[in-house]
Amino acid sequence: MLKRLILSREALLFGAIAILCALIATRFPGFVAPSNLMRVFNDTSPLILLAIGQMIVILTKCIDLSVAANLALTGMCVAMLNTAYPGLPIAVILVIAVGLGAVMGMFNGILVWKLAIPPIVVTLGTMTIFRGIIFLVSDGNWVNSHEMSASFKAFSRSEFLGLPMLSWTAILAVIVFTLVMTRTTLGRGFYAVGGNPHAATYTGLNVGRSQFWAFTISGALAGLTGYLWVSRYAVAYVDLAGGFELDVVAACVIGGISIAGGIGTVGGAVLGALFLGVIKNALPVVNISPFWQLAISGAAIIIAVIVNARAGREKGRIILKSAEKPA
């Protein structure tokens, strides 16, 4: 049991993050200071939230490439709402953000479920649609800091026990979805649908409905992240979080979530996000241009897919060997 825990994907990834931090600390010791590590976690919190939603979608043999566009559209809508009604309570804005994101996720889910359109085609299309809607509702204009109310900007930055609310939101999401995925019928259904859709159907699970709820959850988390992102950076514009969907997919794949579906954990998605977060924050420290981040994310996806594929083949050989022994 202990050996299996030590050799698990999560443990190995945690070790890789620790080694990476140690190497960076040789050039910049302040990087591993607790206060700086807390800032790195806070910077990575939006990626963690989106990676959790993407993980659930990937578990069902789908993919959601519209999460960043969902984030941007929701962020723009709540920012414009705040400028029109600055006295609107933050709780109401949070509900609207989550609801709007969930509706966009439902739209993806319905197209995949009812029309049987491949998820990658659906979400590539909706990614473009959502970006276009941002331009239509904003007329291409930005919503800047001076147009936002103080309370709107303060929520994600306000601290509790030394951590900003953005970080606490990510921590809460990790706890909630760990319980959902390990202790509820819905969570087990996601694994069953992705692991063996035909067997899941025979046991009474509706594959399309499970995928629909996976997209809905992913959309809701993207909507929540949209408000938190705009609140923290105090700006909303058409290209907000452009290309961020690549980082989200990379975080999942690096964290051991299988693109083939049915395999992965919330912890793996979080560690994958933190791995990319450490790299992103370390690039300026080691004098590497941040523009290399996309190339690093792409390379990380390819390497992780190769590692996952080799691990799958190795498991297959072990099963065959164990089957041969009794004969």
Side-chain angles (χ1 to χ4, degrees):
M1 183 69 179
L2 180 61
K3 181 180 179 181
R4 186 184 303 172
L5 178 64
I6 294 174
L7 294 178
S8 68
R9 182 61 173 264
E10 289 81 1
L12 294 174
L13 187 52
F14 182 82
I17 294 172
I19 292 171
L20 182 61
C21 288
L23 291 174
I24 297 168
T26 61
R27 293 280 301 273
F28 183 66
F31 187 85
V32 294
S35 59
N36 188 66
L37 292 178
M38 288 168 63
R39 282 193 291 270
V40 171
F41 181 84
N42 194 56
D43 289 343
T44 312
S45 292
L47 181 56
I48 291 173
L49 289 168
L50 295 181
I52 292 172
Q54 187 74 258
M55 176 212 71
I56 297 173
V57 172
I58 293 176
L59 283 179
T60 64
K61 289 185 179 291
C62 296
I63 194 166
D64 188 355
L65 298 179
S66 68
V67 286
N70 183 326
L71 179 161
L73 177 53
T74 304
M76 176 60 77
C77 288
V78 295
M80 293 178 67
L81 185 65
N82 176 249
T83 59
Y85 304 98
L88 202 63
I90 298 303
V92 174
I93 291 177
L94 283 168
V95 171
I96 292 172
V98 172
L100 182 58
V103 168
M104 286 186 270
M106 288 178 177
F107 183 64
N108 286 332
I110 288 173
L111 292 177
V112 172
W113 178 18
K114 295 299 184 180
L115 300 183
I117 304 174
I120 192 169
V121 176
V122 168
T123 55
L124 273 173
T126 54
M127 174 178 69
T128 307
I129 292 171
F130 296 160
R131 290 285 180 187
I133 294 175
I134 300 173
F135 186 85
L136 290 176
V137 299
S138 66
D139 200 25
N141 296 319
W142 290 35
V143 179
N144 295 302
S145 177
H146 68 275
E147 300 174 82
M148 301 175 184
S149 68
S151 60
F152 182 89
K153 294 181 289 186
F155 177 79
S156 62
R157 306 178 192 183
S158 58
E159 293 189 357
F160 175 70
L161 298 178
L163 277 178
M165 289 304 297
L166 177 58
S167 294
W168 281 115
T169 304
I171 292 170
L172 180 62
V174 171
I175 295 171
V176 168
F177 283 99
T178 297
L179 293 174
V180 168
M181 299 305 293
T182 58
R183 296 285 187 268
T184 69
T185 303
L186 179 65
R188 290 191 289 270
F190 291 140
Y191 283 104
V193 165
N196 193 327
H198 299 295
T201 300
Y202 290 134
T203 60
L205 285 173
N206 187 312
V207 174
R209 185 181 291 115
S210 295
Q211 292 172 337
F212 168 81
W213 285 115
F215 277 109
T216 301
I217 292 171
S218 176
L221 286 171
L224 172 62
T225 309
Y227 164 64
L228 295 172
W229 186 299
V230 170
S231 170
R232 185 190 182 203
Y233 296 107
V235 64
Y237 54 96
V238 174
D239 293 326
L240 186 73
F244 200 58
E245 56 277 341
L246 176 61
D247 285 346
V248 177
V249 174
C252 290
V253 176
I254 292 170
I257 290 87
S258 173
I259 294 296
I263 299 174
T265 64
V266 172
V270 172
L271 288 170
L274 288 174
F275 181 82
L276 291 178
V278 169
I279 289 176
K280 178 180 178 180
N281 282 270
L283 291 182
V285 175
V286 294
N287 295 322
I288 297 176
S289 170
F291 292 105
W292 277 98
Q293 185 189 352
L294 284 176
I296 292 172
S297 298
I301 290 176
I302 294 172
I303 294 171
V305 167
I306 292 172
V307 171
N308 289 343
R310 289 178 64 85
R313 287 198 297 269
E314 185 65 29
K315 288 180 181 178
R317 287 195 293 270
I318 292 172
I319 291 170
L320 289 173
K321 286 179 181 178
S322 61
E324 290 171 357
K325 285 181 182 178

